[in-house]
CSV table of all heavy atoms in Angstrom, one decimal:
chain,number,residue,atom,x,y,z
A,137,THR,N,-24.9,-37.6,-28.6
A,137,THR,CA,-25.0,-37.1,-27.1
A,137,THR,C,-25.0,-35.6,-27.0
A,137,THR,O,-25.7,-35.0,-26.2
A,137,THR,CB,-23.7,-37.8,-26.4
A,137,THR,OG1,-23.7,-39.1,-26.6
A,137,THR,CG2,-23.8,-37.4,-25.0
A,138,HIS,N,-24.2,-35.0,-27.9
A,138,HIS,CA,-24.2,-33.5,-27.8
A,138,HIS,C,-25.5,-32.9,-28.2
A,138,HIS,O,-26.0,-32.0,-27.6
A,138,HIS,CB,-23.1,-33.0,-28.8
A,138,HIS,CG,-23.0,-31.5,-28.8
A,138,HIS,ND1,-23.7,-30.7,-29.7
A,138,HIS,CD2,-22.2,-30.6,-28.1
A,138,HIS,CE1,-23.5,-29.5,-29.5
A,138,HIS,NE2,-22.5,-29.4,-28.5
A,139,ASN,N,-26.2,-33.5,-29.2
A,139,ASN,CA,-27.4,-33.0,-29.6
A,139,ASN,C,-28.5,-33.2,-28.5
A,139,ASN,O,-29.4,-32.3,-28.3
A,139,ASN,CB,-27.9,-33.7,-30.9
A,139,ASN,CG,-27.1,-33.3,-32.1
A,139,ASN,OD1,-26.4,-32.3,-32.1
A,139,ASN,ND2,-27.1,-34.2,-33.1
A,140,ARG,N,-28.4,-34.3,-27.9
A,140,ARG,CA,-29.5,-34.7,-26.8
A,140,ARG,C,-29.3,-33.7,-25.7
A,140,ARG,O,-30.3,-33.3,-25.0
A,140,ARG,CB,-29.3,-36.1,-26.4
A,140,ARG,CG,-30.5,-36.6,-25.5
A,140,ARG,CD,-30.7,-38.1,-25.6
A,140,ARG,NE,-29.7,-38.7,-24.9
A,140,ARG,CZ,-29.7,-39.3,-23.7
A,140,ARG,NH1,-30.8,-39.2,-23.0
A,140,ARG,NH2,-28.7,-40.0,-23.2
A,141,PHE,N,-28.1,-33.4,-25.2
A,141,PHE,CA,-27.9,-32.7,-24.0
A,141,PHE,C,-27.6,-31.3,-24.2
A,141,PHE,O,-28.0,-30.4,-23.3
A,141,PHE,CB,-26.7,-33.3,-23.2
A,141,PHE,CG,-27.1,-34.6,-22.5
A,141,PHE,CD1,-26.7,-35.9,-23.1
A,141,PHE,CD2,-27.7,-34.7,-21.4
A,141,PHE,CE1,-26.9,-37.1,-22.6
A,141,PHE,CE2,-28.1,-35.9,-20.8
A,141,PHE,CZ,-27.7,-37.1,-21.5
A,142,VAL,N,-27.0,-30.9,-25.3
A,142,VAL,CA,-26.7,-29.6,-25.5
A,142,VAL,C,-27.4,-28.9,-26.7
A,142,VAL,O,-27.9,-27.7,-26.6
A,142,VAL,CB,-25.2,-29.3,-25.7
A,142,VAL,CG1,-24.8,-27.9,-25.9
A,142,VAL,CG2,-24.3,-30.0,-24.6
A,143,GLY,N,-27.6,-29.7,-27.7
A,143,GLY,CA,-28.2,-29.1,-29.0
A,143,GLY,C,-29.6,-28.8,-28.9
A,143,GLY,O,-30.1,-28.2,-29.8
A,144,THR,N,-30.3,-29.3,-27.8
A,144,THR,CA,-31.7,-29.0,-27.7
A,144,THR,C,-32.1,-27.9,-26.8
A,144,THR,O,-33.2,-27.7,-26.5
A,144,THR,CB,-32.4,-30.3,-27.3
A,144,THR,OG1,-31.8,-30.7,-26.0
A,144,THR,CG2,-32.3,-31.4,-28.2
A,145,THR,N,-31.1,-27.2,-26.3
A,145,THR,CA,-31.3,-26.1,-25.4
A,145,THR,C,-31.9,-24.8,-26.0
A,145,THR,O,-32.5,-24.0,-25.3
A,145,THR,CB,-30.1,-25.7,-24.6
A,145,THR,OG1,-29.0,-25.4,-25.6
A,145,THR,CG2,-29.6,-26.9,-23.8
A,146,SER,N,-31.8,-24.7,-27.3
A,146,SER,CA,-32.4,-23.6,-28.1
A,146,SER,C,-33.7,-24.1,-28.6
A,146,SER,O,-33.9,-25.2,-28.9
A,146,SER,CB,-31.5,-23.1,-29.1
A,146,SER,OG,-31.2,-24.0,-30.1
A,147,THR,N,-34.5,-23.1,-29.0
A,147,THR,CA,-35.9,-23.4,-29.6
A,147,THR,C,-35.7,-24.2,-31.0
A,147,THR,O,-36.3,-25.1,-31.2
A,147,THR,CB,-36.7,-22.1,-29.9
A,147,THR,OG1,-36.9,-21.4,-28.6
A,147,THR,CG2,-38.0,-22.4,-30.4
A,148,LEU,N,-34.7,-23.6,-31.7
A,148,LEU,CA,-34.5,-24.3,-33.1
A,148,LEU,C,-33.9,-25.7,-32.8
A,148,LEU,O,-34.2,-26.6,-33.5
A,148,LEU,CB,-33.5,-23.4,-33.8
A,148,LEU,CG,-33.2,-23.9,-35.2
A,148,LEU,CD1,-34.4,-24.0,-36.1
A,148,LEU,CD2,-32.1,-23.0,-36.0
A,149,GLY,N,-32.9,-25.8,-31.9
A,149,GLY,CA,-32.3,-27.1,-31.6
A,149,GLY,C,-33.4,-28.1,-31.1
A,149,GLY,O,-33.3,-29.3,-31.4
A,150,LEU,N,-34.3,-27.6,-30.3
A,150,LEU,CA,-35.3,-28.5,-29.7
A,150,LEU,C,-36.2,-29.0,-30.9
A,150,LEU,O,-36.6,-30.2,-30.9
A,150,LEU,CB,-36.2,-27.7,-28.7
A,150,LEU,CG,-37.2,-28.5,-27.9
A,150,LEU,CD1,-36.5,-29.5,-26.9
A,150,LEU,CD2,-38.0,-27.6,-27.1
A,151,LEU,N,-36.6,-28.2,-31.8
A,151,LEU,CA,-37.3,-28.5,-32.9
A,151,LEU,C,-36.7,-29.5,-33.8
A,151,LEU,O,-37.2,-30.5,-34.3
A,151,LEU,CB,-37.8,-27.2,-33.7
A,151,LEU,CG,-38.7,-27.5,-35.0
A,151,LEU,CD1,-40.0,-28.1,-34.5
A,151,LEU,CD2,-38.9,-26.3,-35.8
A,153,HIS,N,-33.8,-31.4,-33.1
A,153,HIS,CA,-33.3,-32.7,-32.6
A,153,HIS,C,-34.3,-33.5,-31.7
A,153,HIS,O,-33.9,-34.6,-31.2
A,153,HIS,CB,-32.0,-32.4,-31.7
A,153,HIS,CG,-31.0,-31.8,-32.5
A,153,HIS,ND1,-30.4,-32.4,-33.6
A,153,HIS,CD2,-30.3,-30.5,-32.4
A,153,HIS,CE1,-29.4,-31.6,-34.1
A,153,HIS,NE2,-29.4,-30.5,-33.4
A,154,ALA,N,-35.5,-32.9,-31.5
A,154,ALA,CA,-36.4,-33.6,-30.6
A,154,ALA,C,-37.8,-33.8,-31.3
A,154,ALA,O,-38.3,-34.9,-31.3
A,154,ALA,CB,-36.6,-32.9,-29.3
A,155,VAL,N,-38.4,-32.7,-31.6
A,155,VAL,CA,-39.7,-32.7,-32.2
A,155,VAL,C,-39.8,-33.3,-33.5
A,155,VAL,O,-40.6,-34.2,-33.8
A,155,VAL,CB,-40.4,-31.3,-32.2
A,155,VAL,CG1,-41.8,-31.3,-32.7
A,155,VAL,CG2,-40.5,-30.7,-30.8
A,221,GLN,N,-38.5,-41.0,-14.2
A,221,GLN,CA,-38.5,-41.3,-15.6
A,221,GLN,C,-38.9,-42.7,-15.9
A,221,GLN,O,-39.7,-43.0,-16.8
A,221,GLN,CB,-37.2,-41.0,-16.3
A,221,GLN,CG,-36.8,-39.6,-16.4
A,221,GLN,CD,-35.4,-39.3,-16.9
A,221,GLN,OE1,-34.5,-40.1,-16.6
A,221,GLN,NE2,-35.2,-38.3,-17.7
A,287,THR,N,-41.7,-38.1,-24.4
A,287,THR,CA,-40.5,-38.2,-25.4
A,287,THR,C,-39.6,-37.0,-25.1
A,287,THR,O,-38.4,-37.3,-25.2
A,287,THR,CB,-41.0,-38.3,-26.8
A,287,THR,OG1,-41.8,-37.1,-27.1
A,287,THR,CG2,-41.8,-39.5,-27.2
A,288,LEU,N,-40.2,-35.9,-24.9
A,288,LEU,CA,-39.3,-34.7,-24.8
A,288,LEU,C,-38.3,-34.8,-23.5
A,288,LEU,O,-37.1,-34.4,-23.6
A,288,LEU,CB,-40.1,-33.4,-24.6
A,288,LEU,CG,-39.6,-32.1,-25.1
A,288,LEU,CD1,-39.1,-32.3,-26.6
A,288,LEU,CD2,-40.5,-31.0,-24.9
A,289,PRO,N,-38.8,-35.4,-22.4
A,289,PRO,CA,-37.8,-35.5,-21.2
A,289,PRO,C,-36.7,-36.4,-21.5
A,289,PRO,O,-35.6,-36.4,-20.9
A,289,PRO,CB,-38.7,-36.1,-20.1
A,289,PRO,CG,-40.1,-35.7,-20.5
A,289,PRO,CD,-40.1,-35.8,-21.9
A,290,PHE,N,-36.8,-37.3,-22.4
A,290,PHE,CA,-35.7,-38.2,-22.8
A,290,PHE,C,-34.9,-37.7,-24.0
A,290,PHE,O,-33.7,-37.8,-24.1
A,290,PHE,CB,-36.3,-39.6,-23.2
A,290,PHE,CG,-37.1,-40.2,-22.2
A,290,PHE,CD1,-38.4,-40.5,-22.3
A,290,PHE,CD2,-36.6,-40.5,-20.9
A,290,PHE,CE1,-39.3,-41.1,-21.4
A,290,PHE,CE2,-37.4,-41.1,-19.8
A,290,PHE,CZ,-38.7,-41.4,-20.2
A,291,ARG,N,-35.5,-37.0,-25.0
A,291,ARG,CA,-34.8,-36.5,-26.1
A,291,ARG,C,-34.1,-35.2,-25.8
A,291,ARG,O,-33.1,-34.9,-26.5
A,291,ARG,CB,-35.8,-36.3,-27.3
A,291,ARG,CG,-36.4,-37.6,-27.9
A,291,ARG,CD,-37.2,-37.3,-29.0
A,291,ARG,NE,-37.8,-38.6,-29.7
A,291,ARG,CZ,-37.2,-39.2,-30.8
A,291,ARG,NH1,-36.1,-38.6,-31.2
A,291,ARG,NH2,-37.8,-40.2,-31.2
A,292,ALA,N,-34.6,-34.4,-24.8
A,292,ALA,CA,-34.0,-33.1,-24.5
A,292,ALA,C,-34.1,-32.9,-23.0
A,292,ALA,O,-34.8,-32.0,-22.5
A,292,ALA,CB,-34.8,-32.0,-25.2
A,293,PRO,N,-33.3,-33.7,-22.2
A,293,PRO,CA,-33.4,-33.6,-20.8
A,293,PRO,C,-32.9,-32.3,-20.2
A,293,PRO,O,-33.6,-31.8,-19.3
A,293,PRO,CB,-32.5,-34.8,-20.2
A,293,PRO,CG,-31.6,-35.0,-21.4
A,293,PRO,CD,-32.4,-34.7,-22.7
A,294,ILE,N,-31.9,-31.7,-20.7
A,294,ILE,CA,-31.3,-30.5,-20.2
A,294,ILE,C,-32.3,-29.3,-20.5
A,294,ILE,O,-32.6,-28.6,-19.6
A,294,ILE,CB,-30.0,-30.2,-20.8
A,294,ILE,CG1,-29.0,-31.3,-20.5
A,294,ILE,CG2,-29.5,-28.9,-20.2
A,294,ILE,CD1,-28.8,-31.5,-19.1
A,295,ALA,N,-32.8,-29.3,-21.7
A,295,ALA,CA,-33.8,-28.3,-22.2
A,295,ALA,C,-35.1,-28.3,-21.3
A,295,ALA,O,-35.6,-27.4,-20.9
A,295,ALA,CB,-34.1,-28.3,-23.6
A,296,THR,N,-35.5,-29.5,-21.0
A,296,THR,CA,-36.7,-29.8,-20.2
A,296,THR,C,-36.6,-29.2,-18.8
A,296,THR,O,-37.4,-28.6,-18.3
A,296,THR,CB,-37.1,-31.3,-20.2
A,296,THR,OG1,-37.3,-31.7,-21.5
A,296,THR,CG2,-38.3,-31.5,-19.4
A,297,ALA,N,-35.4,-29.5,-18.2
A,297,ALA,CA,-35.2,-29.1,-16.9
A,297,ALA,C,-35.0,-27.5,-16.8
A,297,ALA,O,-35.5,-26.9,-15.9
A,297,ALA,CB,-33.9,-29.8,-16.3
A,298,LEU,N,-34.3,-26.9,-17.8
A,298,LEU,CA,-34.0,-25.5,-17.8
A,298,LEU,C,-35.3,-24.8,-18.0
A,298,LEU,O,-35.5,-23.6,-17.5
A,298,LEU,CB,-33.0,-25.1,-18.8
A,298,LEU,CG,-31.6,-25.7,-18.5
A,298,LEU,CD1,-30.7,-25.3,-19.8
A,298,LEU,CD2,-31.0,-25.0,-17.3
A,299,ALA,N,-36.2,-25.3,-18.8
A,299,ALA,CA,-37.4,-24.6,-19.2
A,299,ALA,C,-38.6,-24.7,-18.2
A,299,ALA,O,-39.6,-24.1,-18.3
A,299,ALA,CB,-37.9,-25.0,-20.5
A,300,SER,N,-38.3,-25.6,-17.2
A,300,SER,CA,-39.4,-25.8,-16.2
A,300,SER,C,-39.7,-24.6,-15.4
A,300,SER,O,-38.8,-24.1,-14.8
A,300,SER,CB,-39.1,-27.0,-15.3
A,300,SER,OG,-40.1,-27.2,-14.4
A,301,PRO,N,-40.9,-24.1,-15.4
A,301,PRO,CA,-41.1,-22.9,-14.6
A,301,PRO,C,-41.0,-23.1,-13.0
A,301,PRO,O,-40.8,-22.1,-12.3
A,301,PRO,CB,-42.6,-22.5,-14.9
A,301,PRO,CG,-43.1,-23.8,-15.4
A,301,PRO,CD,-42.1,-24.6,-16.0
A,303,PRO,N,-38.7,-25.4,-10.8
A,303,PRO,CA,-37.7,-26.5,-10.7
A,303,PRO,C,-37.7,-27.3,-9.4
A,303,PRO,O,-37.1,-28.3,-9.4
A,303,PRO,CB,-36.4,-25.7,-10.8
A,303,PRO,CG,-36.8,-24.3,-10.3
A,303,PRO,CD,-38.2,-24.0,-10.7
A,370,LEU,N,-44.0,-34.8,-14.4
A,370,LEU,CA,-42.9,-33.9,-14.8
A,370,LEU,C,-42.8,-32.7,-14.0
A,370,LEU,O,-41.8,-32.3,-13.5
A,370,LEU,CB,-43.0,-33.6,-16.3
A,370,LEU,CG,-42.9,-34.8,-17.3
A,370,LEU,CD1,-43.1,-34.3,-18.7
A,370,LEU,CD2,-41.6,-35.6,-17.1
A,374,GLY,N,-39.8,-31.0,-11.4
A,374,GLY,CA,-39.0,-29.9,-12.0
A,374,GLY,C,-38.6,-30.1,-13.5
A,374,GLY,O,-37.6,-29.5,-13.9
A,375,GLN,N,-39.3,-30.9,-14.2
A,375,GLN,CA,-39.0,-31.1,-15.7
A,375,GLN,C,-40.2,-30.9,-16.6
A,375,GLN,O,-40.3,-31.6,-17.6
A,375,GLN,CB,-38.5,-32.5,-15.8
A,375,GLN,CG,-37.1,-32.9,-15.2
A,375,GLN,CD,-36.6,-34.3,-15.5
A,375,GLN,OE1,-37.4,-35.2,-15.7
A,375,GLN,NE2,-35.3,-34.3,-15.7
A,376,LEU,N,-41.0,-30.0,-16.2
A,376,LEU,CA,-42.1,-29.7,-17.0
A,376,LEU,C,-41.8,-28.6,-18.1
A,376,LEU,O,-41.8,-27.4,-17.8
A,376,LEU,CB,-43.4,-29.2,-16.1
A,376,LEU,CG,-44.6,-28.8,-17.0
A,376,LEU,CD1,-45.2,-30.0,-17.5
A,376,LEU,CD2,-45.6,-28.1,-16.0
A,377,HIS,N,-41.5,-29.0,-19.3
A,377,HIS,CA,-41.3,-28.1,-20.4
A,377,HIS,C,-42.6,-27.6,-20.9
A,377,HIS,O,-43.6,-28.4,-21.0
A,377,HIS,CB,-40.5,-28.7,-21.5
A,377,HIS,CG,-40.0,-27.8,-22.6
A,377,HIS,ND1,-40.7,-27.2,-23.5
A,377,HIS,CD2,-38.7,-27.4,-22.8
A,377,HIS,CE1,-40.0,-26.4,-24.2
A,377,HIS,NE2,-38.8,-26.5,-23.8
A,378,PRO,N,-42.8,-26.3,-21.1
A,378,PRO,CA,-44.1,-25.9,-21.5
A,378,PRO,C,-44.7,-26.6,-22.7
A,378,PRO,O,-46.0,-26.7,-22.9
A,378,PRO,CB,-43.9,-24.3,-21.8
A,378,PRO,CG,-42.7,-24.0,-21.0
A,378,PRO,CD,-41.8,-25.2,-20.9
A,379,LEU,N,-43.9,-27.1,-23.6
A,379,LEU,CA,-44.4,-27.9,-24.7
A,379,LEU,C,-45.1,-29.1,-24.4
A,379,LEU,O,-46.0,-29.6,-25.1
A,379,LEU,CB,-43.3,-28.1,-25.8
A,379,LEU,CG,-42.7,-27.0,-26.6
A,379,LEU,CD1,-41.5,-27.5,-27.5
A,379,LEU,CD2,-43.8,-26.4,-27.5
A,380,THR,N,-44.7,-29.7,-23.2
A,380,THR,CA,-45.3,-31.0,-22.9
A,380,THR,C,-46.8,-30.8,-22.6
A,380,THR,O,-47.5,-31.8,-22.5
A,380,THR,CB,-44.6,-31.6,-21.7
A,380,THR,OG1,-44.6,-30.7,-20.6
A,380,THR,CG2,-43.1,-31.9,-22.1
Side-chain angles (χ1 to χ4, degrees):
T137 305
H138 181 272
N139 289 341
R140 187 158 71 101
F141 288 98
V142 181
T144 55
T145 53
S146 65
T147 303
L148 182 60
L150 190 67
L151 179 66
H153 300 300
V155 179
Q221 287 176 326
T287 57
L288 210 58
F290 305 118
R291 291 181 178 268
I294 302 300
T296 300
L298 292 177
S300 180
L370 298 176
Q375 289 189 325
L376 178 67
H377 194 287
L379 285 179
T380 60

